[in-house]
Amino acid sequence: MSAAVLAQSLVFGLLAGALYGLAAAGLSLVFGVLRVLNVAHGELIMLGGYASFWLFALVGLDPFASLAVSMPLLFVVGLGLHQALFARVETLPEETRVKNSLLIGFGLALAFHNLAIRLWTADDRTIAAAYTGVVLHAGGLVVPAVRLGTLLVAVILIAAMHLFLTRTDPGRAVRAVAEDWEAALLVGIDLRRTYLLAFALGSALAGAAGTLVSVGYSINPGIGLEWTLKALIVVVLAGLGSMPGTLAGGLLLGAAESASALVIGGAYREVVALVLFVVVLLVRPQGLFGRR
């Protein structure tokens, strides 16, 4: 195996990993603040992808520009889901809250999956923009323009979320609740409003990830589980409490998958991801970048 082939493989892995990081950012935010595990997160990604696909198919809106629609749309969807379903488990003890949120999430995932089949059939959908096949050449490496754009958007969105959480009052309130909700309540932070904001922001990030998935991959009603598992693995790798850490976890997963596909074959790339998942859980359960 030449160094050039390995470098090219790692480049592809990092390009995919940035999207993994963005897909995990919303799930990490919701679980870190609300302590509810929304296993329907992948279905929210699927809905974001369909929003961009239909905007492109019906009105010709560029998929990257459709982020301006898919993110607010999923933000509103997140508001509705929280108020209708997840707000009901917020007051439960933490262990019961996680269990009940899992049940809600599984039911929600099935409902969205079947609704998508009913509305749009189970066919794969892809967005073929004018620049889809464009590739860039740099230092002997080939970089697809779409994947590079996906990486840049993912980095920008995660950086923007990091700045929101660290430089604004609502963001600091979200972090305070994630650290210690009882102390946050004592200093006057509105827990319900903060939970609502965190869930809606997590859903908006899922919508953005869905848009980027629709650009670089095909979408269908069945992609939700796959992306939920990817996001969960990245959350475990990165740990809670750090948006840049989530991006780094996604890049690590993408690079590991790509390198393993090159060395031991593409059939085992998912196995490598699961092995990483188990090893990190055993050796550093708080994640590589999480707080103890």
Side-chain angles (χ1 to χ4, degrees), residues 192-282:
R192 287 188 175 278
R193 183 178 298 176
T194 305
Y195 286 152
L196 179 62
L197 176 63
F199 195 93
L201 286 174
S203 301
L205 288 174
T211 291
L212 300 184
V213 169
S214 73
V215 179
Y217 304 82
S218 62
I219 56 169
N220 62 62
I223 66 170
L225 177 60
E226 175 189 352
W227 282 97
T228 296
L229 290 176
K230 294 282 187 195
L232 276 174
I233 291 172
V234 173
V235 169
V236 170
L237 285 178
L240 298 173
S242 170
M243 282 291 149
T246 304
L247 176 62
L251 294 174
L252 175 62
L253 177 61
E257 283 187 350
S258 190
S260 64
L262 186 65
V263 175
I264 60 177
Y268 298 99
R269 58 187 300 163
E270 304 296 339
V271 176
V272 170
L274 292 175
V275 169
L276 268 177
F277 177 86
V278 173
V279 169
V280 171
L281 271 182
L282 292 175

Side-chain angles (χ1 to χ4, degrees), residues 11-32:
V11 166
F12 284 138
L14 293 175
L15 293 174
L19 183 52
Y20 295 166
L22 181 61
L27 186 66
S28 177
L29 179 65
V30 171
F31 186 71

Side-chain angles (χ1 to χ4, degrees), residues 148-201:
L148 182 60
T150 297
L151 181 144
L152 293 175
V153 171
V155 170
I156 289 171
L157 289 176
I158 289 178
M161 184 55 66
H162 175 69
L163 290 175
F164 172 79
L165 293 174
T166 55
R167 303 290 176 85
T168 69
D169 289 341
R172 293 189 187 99
V174 169
R175 291 176 60 215
V177 172
E179 291 278 350
D180 187 337
W181 68 268
E182 291 174 316
L185 185 62
L186 287 175
V187 298
I189 293 176
D190 187 330
L191 286 185
R192 287 188 175 278
R193 183 178 298 176
T194 305
Y195 286 152
L196 179 62
L197 176 63
F199 195 93
L201 286 174

Side-chain angles (χ1 to χ4, degrees), residues 80-173:
L81 291 177
H82 178 270
Q83 290 297 86
L85 299 173
F86 290 96
R88 301 175 186 278
V89 302
E90 285 174 359
T91 56
L92 299 175
E94 186 168 320
E95 185 177 348
T96 307
R97 190 188 312 181
V98 172
K99 290 178 180 175
N100 287 7
S101 67
L102 278 171
L103 293 175
I104 293 173
F106 280 124
L108 199 57
L110 285 173
F112 278 138
H113 177 83
N114 286 294
L115 182 64
I117 292 177
R118 183 79 174 176
L119 292 175
W120 306 309
T121 77
D123 294 344
D124 284 331
R125 311 278 184 168
T126 56
I127 292 180
Y131 48 79
T132 296
V134 174
V135 295
L136 307 175
H137 297 272
L141 300 174
V142 176
V143 181
V146 167
R147 297 292 179 92
L148 182 60
T150 297
L151 181 144
L152 293 175
V153 171
V155 170
I156 289 171
L157 289 176
I158 289 178
M161 184 55 66
H162 175 69
L163 290 175
F164 172 79
L165 293 174
T166 55
R167 303 290 176 85
T168 69
D169 289 341
R172 293 189 187 99

